[in-house]
Amino acid sequence: MKRFKKIAVVLGILYSLLVVLAYNFQEKLIFLPSKMPMNHQFDFCQSFEEFNLTANDGAKLNAVHTKQDSARGVVLYFHGNSGNISHLGHVANLISRKGYDAIMVDYRTYGKSTGAISEEALKKDAQLFYNHALTMYDEDEIVLYGRSFGTGIATGLAAENDPKKLILESPFYSAVELGKHRFPILPIDWLSQYRFPSNEYVRKINCPVFIFHGTEDGVIPFEQARKLFAAIPGDTKKFYKVDGAGHNYLQDFEEFKIGIEEAFN
């Protein structure tokens, strides 16, 4: 009996240490930024302008604005939790083919952007870019597009504003639910400093919503996207099931190509 008690104590201590480590290092588990030199020269096929916005706390937020004549509007694009906007040439090409300008944003610590990351800061930064877009476009010309992690930011932004439409590629139900899936032995409800409750945001959205998700997604389960879709009220929504697709490269699949054409029409 004493031996079992000792084992239980050791396991309890190890588990407590795991919880503490997970809490203290959760940003490193969530965010995988790729930095770039401040003098990096972007290379896109479209005419573009690199620009920076300054947040209230002094953070410098870097973005690229691609442009074309007689654009139908602008797509405000939020990428996933890795990489940076220098990797988004294919996104710029897709958006320009649909007749839109694009504003592609790098989060704090990504690319050339600076500042300390927090959920509140990321949400305020997104609104800052939305307000910037409003200085050049009417609100009914603004499309919000989020991929993976960026879907939480785009959905929250749509809930607080009135964009033309919202496009979500590989979305999660909520950051907490995704955390529970990835780390089922941890008390994620208590641990998580990043909640991004997309399931709550979508109940406040008034614009059409288009969701794309691969059936073989090993990062964000397909069922999370299905649950999120079901939480959207009304019938101005569309779900595109991309058979055989994983988390990335949905643009290579015919279902995505057909669906994205419909979403941008």
Side-chain angles (χ1 to χ4, degrees), residues 153-175:
I153 293 178
T155 305
L157 195 56
E160 297 297 326
N161 298 277
D162 193 21
K164 181 177 183 179
K165 60 185 72 173
L166 172 66
I167 300 173
L168 302 176
E169 182 182 336
S170 306
F172 51 79
Y173 186 70
S174 75

Side-chain angles (χ1 to χ4, degrees), residues 130-160:
Y130 193 91
N131 294 344
H132 177 75
L134 284 172
T135 66
M136 296 170 284
Y137 304 89
D138 293 335
E139 193 163 25
D140 62 3
E141 296 177 316
I142 299 176
V143 175
L144 297 181
Y145 192 138
R147 195 190 89 78
S148 189
F149 169 76
T151 62
I153 293 178
T155 305
L157 195 56
E160 297 297 326

